[in-house]
Amino acid sequence: MIAYLDGNFITPDQASILSVHALHYASAVFEGIRIYDGQAFMLTAHVERLLQSAEIIGLKPNLTLASCTSILTETIERSGLRNAYLRPIIFQGGPNLGVYAPDNVTRFGALIWEWPSVFGEQRAQTGISLTTDVPYRRAPELCFPSQAKSSAGYMVSGINRRKAELAGFDDALMLTHAGLIAEASGANIFMVHNGELLTPEPHGILNGITRQVVMANLPDGLICRECPLDPSDILEAEEVFLTGTAYEVIPVRQIDNTLFQVGPRTQQIMDIYRSLTSVIQSKR
């Protein structure tokens, strides 16, 4: 084998990173887990989805729910970090670089780092801006395993997010293949309309864990309905917000040329979510 990397020819041993199957074909799944005051939020749900994602794309890690949870808990403890982001990843190693390489080993790793607000503390309160003027849409369910949180699913997100930021927006609002509202680059979307909370059905998009938490803990008197949402519905929305592990619950102040206020329902849901993340601290 002859290998070259970053300006130098290297030995086969040094080239091991170039032989990772996941680097070539995105044969990897991952999770993002928030740590609040040293405690993981929704850890079991995240580990369950990680293992389900691996199964969906055909990875076979030597992990159980209990063993994976134990490793991640120890990772948090060893880090000493109080407020952080934990990224477990399951991926196919090498050395076979065929598209289908069943003899390659499945590997598991985790990273943890200190994590501030994605868009800064001010915009976490006042809201972010989105644009639908991005080049790519979400693939339909029959064309992509959207319920796996896979590395492959985020390539389009990255391209669209970059286009949005270059145009002066904070994030991209992606559409489905049929032109309906899908999600942001890494978060689910909700809007308040005529007193109801509306969100796209989770077809072709990831049914986010934060999305599920929000829907299960709504303010009194608020009903959430999953339904198809057309971009024209943006004009009728009273409030809009995004949900995600990294994003938490963050208001949207602008979509293309339409402006929004941080309304009372959004504020209520933000407060409820904040209280839920603080509950885990009291269980220590």
Side-chain angles (χ1 to χ4, degrees), residues 30 118-119 128-131 134 136 138 149-151 153-165 170-175 182-189 205-206 242-244 246-247:
F30 67 93
V118 176
F119 298 100
I128 62 172
S129 60
L130 309 177
T131 179
V134 290
Y136 296 104
R138 279 289 182 229
K149 189 174 175 71
S150 65
S151 299
Y154 284 80
M155 181 185 70
V156 165
S157 293
I159 294 170
N160 285 341
R161 172 78 176 267
R162 178 177 180 272
K163 176 70 182 295
E165 291 199 10
D170 294 308
D171 202 353
L173 177 56
M174 299 168 63
L175 304 181
E183 59 185 346
S185 66
N188 296 119
I189 186 168
I205 63 173
L206 191 69
L242 303 180
T243 63
Y247 291 58

Side-chain angles (χ1 to χ4, degrees), residues 27-79:
S27 49
V29 296
F30 67 93
E31 280 295 320
I33 303 168
R34 286 297 288 265
I35 313 303
Y36 296 99
D37 195 23
Q39 302 294 303
F41 184 59
M42 301 296 292
L43 179 59
T44 298
H46 281 288
V47 174
E48 287 176 341
R49 187 173 66 180
L50 178 70
L51 298 177
Q52 289 166 0
S53 295
E55 183 177 1
I56 288 171
I57 75 164
L59 296 174
K60 301 185 182 302
N62 184 24
L63 290 168
T64 64
L65 177 63
S67 66
C68 187
T69 300
S70 176
I71 291 166
L72 295 180
T73 300
E74 184 175 353
T75 302
I76 297 166
E77 292 171 351
R78 283 174 175 260
S79 76

